[in-house]
Amino acid sequence: MRKDVRILLVGEPKVGKTSLIMSLVSEEFPDVVPYRAEEITIPADVTPERVPTHIVDYSEAEQTDEQLFQEISKVSIPNKGASWCISSSYCLLITLLCGVDIFRVPLILVGNKSDLVEHSSMETILPIMNQYSEIETCVECSAKNLKNISELFYYAQKAVLHPTGPLYCPEKKDMKPLCVKALTRIFKVSDLDNDGNLNDNELNFFQRTCFNTPLEPQALEDVKNVVRKNLIDGVCDNGLTLKGFLFLHTLFIQRGRHETTWTVLRRFGYDDDLELNQDYLFPPLKIPPDCTTELNHNAYLFLQSVFDKHDKDRDCALSPEELRDLFDVFPYMPWGPDVNNTVCTNDQGWITYQGYLSQWTLTTYLDVQRCLEYFGYLGYSIIAEQESQAAGITVTRDKKIDLQKKQTQRSVFRCNVFGDIGSGKSGFLQAFLGRNLMRQKTIKEEHRSYYAINTTYVYGQEKYLLLHEVFPDFDYLSDSDLACDIVCLVYDVSNPYSFEYCAKVFKQYFMDSKTPCMMIAAKSDLPEVKQMYGCSPLEFCRRHKMPPPQSFTCNAASAPNRDIYTKLTTMAMYPKIYMHLLTADVISYHARLRCMCTCNRCTFCLCQNFLNSELLQTVRAKLYAVRLNMSQLSACSVIRSSIFSQCSFLCDPSLQLIHVSQADLKSSTFWLRASVGATVFAVLGFAMYRVLLKTR
C-alpha cells in the first residue's frame, strides 16, 4: 500500500480545474476563482482509503512547460501515488503524456461543467478511453452544482491505490500474465490439502485471512453457483478449482471491484508491480554477535504440514516430482542436486522427512535471510497466522553465557572438519548420512557438497550436528572457517604425511582457543604407517591435552558407525566440562573416553554413565579412605588395651590388628555397596519416571 497519493489536475484554461479543488475544500462554488490554487493536503483520517492525499493544480497562465514536466516527474516518483485528472478537451496533452514513460501512472478523464449541457458526453469519450489503456475511468461532474466532486477525487485515489493497469488487459478482456501468476501462487498456498480445489474450510480460511470475516454457508454456495453458471470446470467435488478462482477475480475487475483483488494480492505480500515486497520477504530480525539462528517449534510444525501436503504417496520421502510441486510457489528452484548429498536420502536418492527438516535447519543456521525469503514464498506468516516469517526464528543467546551457566539451549552445533587432500574428509561427512564407501563412489563431482547435517542423540535429547568440510588451504582460512563449536582434525593412517597438516592447523589456530578439538584417524581399515612428524598422533594428543585419536572407517558393507558423531556433539554441547576434564589425569581420561557409552538413550547407558562419572568415583574413593582410617584407629586402641589385659597377645599383636581391620573393612564394604545400590535404584526410578512421562 502506498504511503500517500499525489493528484495533478491539468487541462486547457478555463475548464474548471481550480474550481473543482475549491469546491471540494469549501463545499460550495467560489465567486472568485484565482488562476491557480495552492497545493492542498487531505489528512488520512478524512479519506476513505486512510491515505494522505495531495492535490496539485496547474495553470498555463502562471506556469511554464518546464514546470509542468517537473510536476510530472514528482508524480512519477515510484514511492508516491499519482493520478492524472485531465479535462475532456485536452486531448493533445493526453497524446503527449502517453508518449513518455508513465505506464505506471493511471489517467482519469474528467468532463467538467456538466450543468451547462442537457445530455451526457460519455459517448464522445469512449473512443479516447479505448485508444489509451492508461485511462482508468472517466467522470462527468460540475463544480457549480457540486455534482460528483467527492466521487471524482475518490476515483482518483482509488486509481492510484488499486490500479487496473497491472491487473487487466482491456483489449484481450482478460487478466495479465503477472496477475495470473500471482493469483496462482495464492491459490496453491491456500490449498492446504493440495488436492487442487479450495473446499469450504479453505475458502473460509482464505476469506478470514484477507478480509477478517468468514463467509456464511449460503454466501459460499452463491459464489460457487456463479462460477458453475459461467465455467464448466470451475467447481469440482464441491470445491473451487484454480480456473474458478481466476474467473472470480476477473469478474471482480470487470465489475469495477478491483480493490478486492488488490486486497488479496497485498495480503499475500505483493506490491503495485505484482512482485513480492522486500519488506514481506525480509522482515527485520536482529542477531547479536556470537549468536546463532534456529527454527522454533511452530516453524517445524509448519514445515511438517508442508511436507505432508506434498508427500502424496506417503512414503516419508519427496520424489523429484513432489519436490518440484512443493517449490512451484517459488520464482526459482531453491534446492540443487548438492542437497541430496547434504542430508539423508532413501535408497532411491529421494530426500527423506528427516533430511527435509535437516536442510531447513541448515539454511536457517547458515543464511537466515534466505530462510525468511523461502518462508515468505511458502506463506508462513499467513498459514501460521503470524506477524511475519521472523516469528518462526529463534535467536540463541551468546555462547559466552552458555559457558558461564555450563548449559545450553541450542539444538544445532557446528563442527568444522580439517584435513589434508585425500585424508578422508568427504567420506567422514557422507558417513554421517549413513553412506558407506560404495554409495559414496556413485556421487558425481559436480554434485558434491561441503556440508552434511543430521540428528544425533545426547543423553536422550535430539540435536543437530552440522559438519562443514574446510578447504585445505592452510594460509587462507577465513573467520567462518574458524567459527564453530568443535573442531575435527582428520588424517589418513595409511599416509605418512597426512598428520602433519592437522598438527599445523591445530598449533596455528586452535592451540590457544577454547574450542574443543578431536583427532580422527581415518581409513582405519587400511594398514597403519608411522607418521612423519616429530611425535606420534597419540603422543601429540597427550601433550596438548586432547582426547586420543578416534579410529574411523566408512569401508564397510553396512552403514558406518555413528558413535563418533555422538561424541562430537557431546563435546560441543559441554565444552566447559570438557575443559575441566583436561585438567584432571589425562591418561585416565583417555581410558574413560575409550569406554564411554555412545548410545546415551537407554536406561542401562544412563546408569553406566552415572556410575562411571567423576563425581561418583571421587565419593567412592573418599568413603573407602575414611572407613580405612577409622579401622586403623580402632585397631590401635584395641592393641593398647590388650597390653594390660592379655599378655598372650603381646607375642603377636599383628593378629589383633589384622582381625579388627578385616571386620571394619567388611562393614565399610557393606556401606559402600549399600550406597551404590541406593544410587542405582534412584537412577532406575528416575529412568522409569521419564519413560512413563514420555508415554503420557
Side-chain angles (χ1 to χ4, degrees), residues 1 24 191 238-239 316 350 371-372 379 394 450-451 458 500 520 582 615 689:
M1 182 68 72
L24 174 69
D191 185 12
N238 202 32
C316 289
W350 299 350
C371 179
L372 293 174
T394 296
Y450 293 94
Y451 290 94
V458 178
E500 183 179 4
I520 304 297
L582 292 183
L615 177 62
Y689 170 75

Side-chain angles (χ1 to χ4, degrees), residues 310-324:
H310 295 277
D311 184 20
K312 296 182 179 180
D313 52 7
R314 297 291 182 263
D315 61 346
C316 289
L318 294 176
S319 65
E321 294 77 14
E322 293 171 341
L323 200 61
R324 282 194 296 269

Side-chain angles (χ1 to χ4, degrees), residues 3-20:
K3 296 180 180 180
D4 60 357
V5 174
R6 189 176 181 87
I7 302 173
L8 176 63
L9 283 80
V10 295
E12 292 181 349
K14 300 187 182 300
V15 295
K17 303 184 300 298
T18 307
S19 299
L20 289 172

Side-chain angles (χ1 to χ4, degrees), residues 123 189 192 195 204 216 235 439 455 581 613 696:
E123 295 180 358
V189 170
L192 302 179
D195 63 346
N204 258 319
E216 296 295 332
V235 178
R439 288 189 61 184
T455 56
L581 288 173
S613 65
R696 181 179 303 177

Side-chain angles (χ1 to χ4, degrees), residues 258-492:
H258 39 277
E259 66 272 9
T260 302
T261 302
W262 274 115
T263 301
V264 172
L265 290 168
R266 287 180 175 131
R267 180 64 183 89
F268 280 79
Y270 288 93
D271 58 14
D272 293 341
D273 299 326
L274 295 182
E275 299 288 344
L276 285 173
N277 200 315
Q278 294 298 303
D279 294 336
Y280 168 79
L281 291 177
F282 305 102
L285 181 65
K286 185 179 181 181
I287 306 175
D290 294 331
C291 297
T292 59
T293 49
E294 301 176 359
L295 296 171
N296 58 29
H297 180 66
N298 291 332
Y300 279 117
L301 289 179
F302 170 75
L303 291 174
Q304 179 182 352
S305 67
V306 173
F307 184 91
D308 294 338
K309 173 180 175 179
H310 295 277
D311 184 20
K312 296 182 179 180
D313 52 7
R314 297 291 182 263
D315 61 346
C316 289
L318 294 176
S319 65
E321 294 77 14
E322 293 171 341
L323 200 61
R324 282 194 296 269
D325 185 43
L326 190 152
F327 292 123
D328 194 36
V329 296
F330 284 58
Y332 55 88
M333 184 65 181
W335 291 1
D338 59 314
V339 175
N340 294 62
N341 300 318
T342 305
V343 298
C344 294
T345 58
N346 60 11
D347 295 336
Q348 297 172 289
W350 299 350
I351 298 176
T352 62
Y353 172 70
Q354 185 59 52
Y356 165 82
L357 294 182
S358 298
Q359 179 62 25
W360 281 106
T361 304
L362 172 70
T363 306
T364 307
Y365 187 92
L366 296 180
D367 192 353
V368 67
Q369 292 299 320
R370 179 165 295 184
C371 179
L372 293 174
E373 178 187 1
Y374 291 171
F375 269 35
Y377 294 140
L378 292 174
Y380 171 79
S381 61
I382 297 165
I383 303 302
E385 300 184 76
Q386 299 289 338
E387 184 178 353
S388 68
Q389 296 87 266
I393 306 299
T394 296
V395 180
T396 63
R397 66 186 181 188
D398 195 330
K399 294 181 181 179
K400 297 177 183 178
I401 300 178
D402 288 345
L403 292 175
Q404 292 174 358
K405 294 183 177 294
K406 299 182 181 180
Q407 61 180 357
T408 180
Q409 299 175 346
R410 297 162 56 205
S411 59
V412 184
F413 299 91
R414 176 168 178 168
C415 173
N416 284 356
V417 182
F418 294 85
D420 203 359
I421 298 176
S423 59
K425 301 186 299 298
S426 300
F428 185 73
L429 265 67
Q430 292 300 314
F432 186 36
L433 306 178
R435 299 177 182 132
N436 56 20
L437 189 61
M438 292 299 295
R439 288 189 61 184
Q440 294 178 24
K441 290 181 179 180
T442 62
I443 299 176
K444 297 181 180 180
E445 182 63 26
E446 59 270 20
H447 297 164
R448 178 183 175 187
S449 175
Y450 293 94
Y451 290 94
I453 183 170
N454 203 355
T455 56
T456 59
Y457 285 89
V458 178
Y459 302 117
Q461 301 179 17
E462 185 183 50
K463 302 295 180 180
Y464 282 94
L465 180 63
L466 168 60
L467 301 179
H468 172 46
E469 178 183 348
V470 180
F471 190 76
D473 193 346
F474 178 78
D475 297 326
Y476 297 97
L477 293 180
S478 62
D479 294 337
S480 61
D481 295 333
L482 303 177
C484 58
D485 300 301
I486 185 171
V487 175
C488 192
L489 303 169
V490 181
Y491 72 94
D492 182 2

